[in-house]
C-alpha cells in the first residue's frame, strides 16, 4: 500500500469518475486492503495513540469501521461496490430501465402513437425518470405507489 497518497485527493468530488475508473480503482484498493489487513490495522491502532481522545473509544471505533470495510471488500466485487456508491449502474437498472408501459398508453411510441416523442417535455410521458424525480411529479402522474416501491429514496 502506497504511503505517498496526497491528502487533497480524499476531498475531491467523485461525481466525474466513471464506472470503469471506479471499478479499476476499487479492485486495486480491495486487493491492497485485503492483502495488507494486519499492517493497516496496526497503523490505525498507532493513529489512536497520538490523537487527544480516549484510547479505547478510538480503538473500538476505528477497528469497528475498518472491520466493516474489510467485510464489504470480502463480500462484494468491485463493480458491486461502485454500484453502491452510485458510480455504476446495476444490471437490474439497465434491464428494467423504464416503468410499466401498456400498449396504446399515452406517451407510447411506435405504431400505437406514431406522432408521440417520448421525453420531449417535462411531463408524465417521460416515464419513471420524471415520475419519481419528486413526490409532486409522482402525485401529478398518479404513480406514487410505483415510485414508493421503485424509488423509495424520494419518499
Amino acid at each position: 500500500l502506497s504511503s505517498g497518497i496526497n491528502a487533497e485527493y480524499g476531498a475531491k468530488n467523485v461525481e466525474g469518475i466513471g464506472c470503469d475508473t471506479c471499478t479499476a480503482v476499487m479492485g486495486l484498493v480491495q486487493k491492497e486492503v485485503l492483502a495488507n489487513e494486519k499492517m493497516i490495522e496496526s497503523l490505525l491502532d498507532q493513529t489512536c495513540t497520538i490523537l487527544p481522545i480516549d484510547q479505547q473509544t478510538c480503538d473500538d471505533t476505528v477497528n469497528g469501521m475498518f472491520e466493516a470495510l474489510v467485510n464489504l471488500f470480502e463480500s462484494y466485487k468491485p463493480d458491486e461496490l461502485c454500484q453502491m456508491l452510485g458510480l455504476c449502474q446495476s444490471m437490474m437498472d439497465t434491464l428494467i430501465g423504464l416503468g410499466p408501459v401498456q400498449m396504446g398508453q399515452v406517451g407510447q411510441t411506435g405504431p400505437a402513437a406514431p406522432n408521440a416523442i417520448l421525453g420531449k417535455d417535462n411531463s408524465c410521458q417521460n416515464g419513471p425518470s420524471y415520475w419519481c424525480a419528486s413526490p409532486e411529479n409522482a402525485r401529478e402522474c398518479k404513480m406514487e405507489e410505483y415510485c414508493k416501491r421503485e424509488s423509495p429514496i424520494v419518499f
Side-chain angles (χ1 to χ4, degrees), residues 19 89 103 117 125 144:
C19 180
Q89 193 172 14
M103 295 305 289
I117 300 174
Q125 294 178 355
E144 288 175 276

Side-chain angles (χ1 to χ4, degrees), residues 114-139:
N115 298 325
I117 300 174
L118 190 61
K120 78 177 192 182
D121 62 0
N122 282 337
S123 71
C124 296
Q125 294 178 355
N126 287 311
S129 63
Y130 179 79
W131 306 336
C132 303
S134 71
E136 294 78 24
N137 292 3
R139 274 191 293 282

Side-chain angles (χ1 to χ4, degrees), residues 41-77:
E41 197 167 354
S42 174
L43 289 171
L44 291 172
D45 287 341
Q46 290 174 24
T47 302
C48 286
T49 64
I50 60 173
L51 294 174
I53 57 175
D54 180 63
Q55 177 79 39
Q56 190 60 48
T57 302
C58 181
D59 285 341
D60 292 346
T61 302
V62 170
N63 289 333
M65 291 171 64
F66 184 67
E67 185 178 319
L69 178 68
V70 169
N71 286 336
L72 278 174
F73 283 153
E74 289 174 340
S75 302
Y76 297 96
K77 295 182 284 189

Side-chain angles (χ1 to χ4, degrees), residues 11-105:
K12 297 276 184 187
N13 186 340
V14 296
E15 191 174 305
I17 295 175
C19 180
D20 291 340
T21 302
C22 178
T23 302
V25 171
M26 191 64 71
L28 177 64
V29 171
Q30 185 179 41
K31 177 184 163 195
E32 291 296 323
V33 167
L34 294 176
N36 298 293
E37 186 177 341
K38 294 298 178 196
M39 181 189 71
I40 296 169
E41 197 167 354
S42 174
L43 289 171
L44 291 172
D45 287 341
Q46 290 174 24
T47 302
C48 286
T49 64
I50 60 173
L51 294 174
I53 57 175
D54 180 63
Q55 177 79 39
Q56 190 60 48
T57 302
C58 181
D59 285 341
D60 292 346
T61 302
V62 170
N63 289 333
M65 291 171 64
F66 184 67
E67 185 178 319
L69 178 68
V70 169
N71 286 336
L72 278 174
F73 283 153
E74 289 174 340
S75 302
Y76 297 96
K77 295 182 284 189
D79 61 315
E80 294 171 323
L81 294 167
C82 291
Q83 289 169 14
M84 289 177 197
L85 293 173
L87 296 174
C88 290
Q89 193 172 14
S90 74
M91 183 57 78
M92 189 58 80
D93 290 341
T94 303
L95 292 175
I96 11 186
L98 294 176
V101 176
Q102 300 168 353
M103 295 305 289
Q105 174 178 335

Side-chain angles (χ1 to χ4, degrees), residues 1-5 32 36 39:
L1 188 63
S2 173
S3 60
I5 297 174
E32 291 296 323
N36 298 293
M39 181 189 71

